[in-house]
Amino acid sequence: MGPQNLTSVLEFHLLGFSDDLELQPLLFGLFLTMYLVTVFGNLLIILTVSFDFHLHTPMYFFLSNLSLADISFSTTTVPKMLVNLKTHSKSITYAGCLTQVSSFSLFVCLDSLLLTVMAYDRFVAICHPLHYPAIMNFHLCGLLVLVSFFVSLLDSQLHYLMMSQLTFCADVEIPHFFCDPPQLLKLACSDTSTNNILIYFIGTIFGGVPLTGILYSYTRIISSILRISSSGLRYKAFSTCGSHLLAVCLFYGIGLGVYLGSSVSSSLRKEAVASVMYTVVTPMLNPFIYSLRNSHIKNVLWRIVSRIA
């Protein structure tokens, strides 16, 4: 059959991980558990920061927004996957697919920019401690979050426009558990050379620039820490960056692993499994990273639990 415009395709088929009906209840239970841990863990971070006045600082303000972005990130893909596993269906509507494309791009970019903003916050705190309260004031913090959101919104709309211009052959089967833009480009019947150039350009701008900012911030941070004479003060200064640095390594490490793996791997199912690490596991682990390594959050959590008990 000849290609037809995307708007005439009523639905796509998400192949997911396995066609084995006996395995699907196990996958449903696994991903439901991971999703609930992600939602409740990140909500707990948000409530903890809101609960204690001592946590009303720029670092925890950015952490709350990162937790909200992580909840939204997982909600973009996981609920639809759970519905398909439960109903033994593989379909997703045209509108639902484009919504996933734009929402996925929005929250991936927002996560990246918030991690960059948090790196800048740590840079100012360690390299310019005396000027920190004046620089990281309430208005600047709010502005940084708003700018991050609107830049991410621009990124999502660019992805939406690119995907909406593609043409597909009938019965489009996506070898994934969500509408991944690179997979849609591979399945398109029309010429995608321009789209490929644009998606690499957008990825470089919206992914490479934040990563460069993070690397620059930590280069300055490490340089400042090494100039501290006391080993105890050096450890204390670096410990304030430990959780954020681990979250950055997890986010960009897995993200680059998925991107490079999809470029060299011929196994579509392996790509889908690798993407789970990026879209499900990373948002789930962030609350543990920030709570287990942060004495302030642990103390507030214990107080909350004690009051409930």
Side-chain angles (χ1 to χ4, degrees), residues 23-96:
L23 186 61
Q24 291 193 11
L26 177 62
L27 291 174
F28 177 84
L30 174 64
F31 287 113
L32 177 60
T33 301
M34 295 172 72
Y35 179 64
L36 291 177
V37 170
T38 300
V39 172
F40 287 116
N42 282 288
L43 278 178
L44 194 58
I45 293 289
I46 295 171
L47 292 174
T48 300
V49 172
S50 302
F51 176 80
D52 193 275
F53 177 77
H54 297 94
L55 298 181
H56 294 177
T57 62
M59 180 174 69
Y60 294 109
F61 171 69
F62 297 136
L63 176 58
S64 296
N65 283 276
L66 181 66
S67 295
L68 184 59
D70 281 338
I71 293 173
S72 304
F73 186 20
S74 290
T75 303
T76 297
T77 58
V78 178
K80 178 58 180 176
M81 176 176 60
L82 293 175
V83 170
N84 285 2
L85 286 171
K86 189 66 176 177
T87 60
H88 306 298
S89 170
K90 296 179 181 296
S91 65
I92 182 171
T93 64
Y94 157 71

Side-chain angles (χ1 to χ4, degrees), residues 218-267:
Y218 272 102
T219 300
R220 295 290 302 275
I221 287 171
I222 292 172
S223 176
S224 296
I225 290 176
L226 291 177
R227 289 199 297 267
I228 299 175
S229 57
S230 170
S231 58
L233 291 176
R234 281 200 302 267
Y235 174 79
K236 184 178 180 180
F238 190 76
S239 65
T240 63
C241 306
S243 297
H244 176 259
L245 189 58
L246 184 57
V248 168
C249 292
L250 189 66
F251 181 82
Y252 281 101
I254 294 178
L256 289 174
V258 171
Y259 173 76
L260 295 176
S262 64
S263 300
V264 300
S265 175
S266 58
S267 173

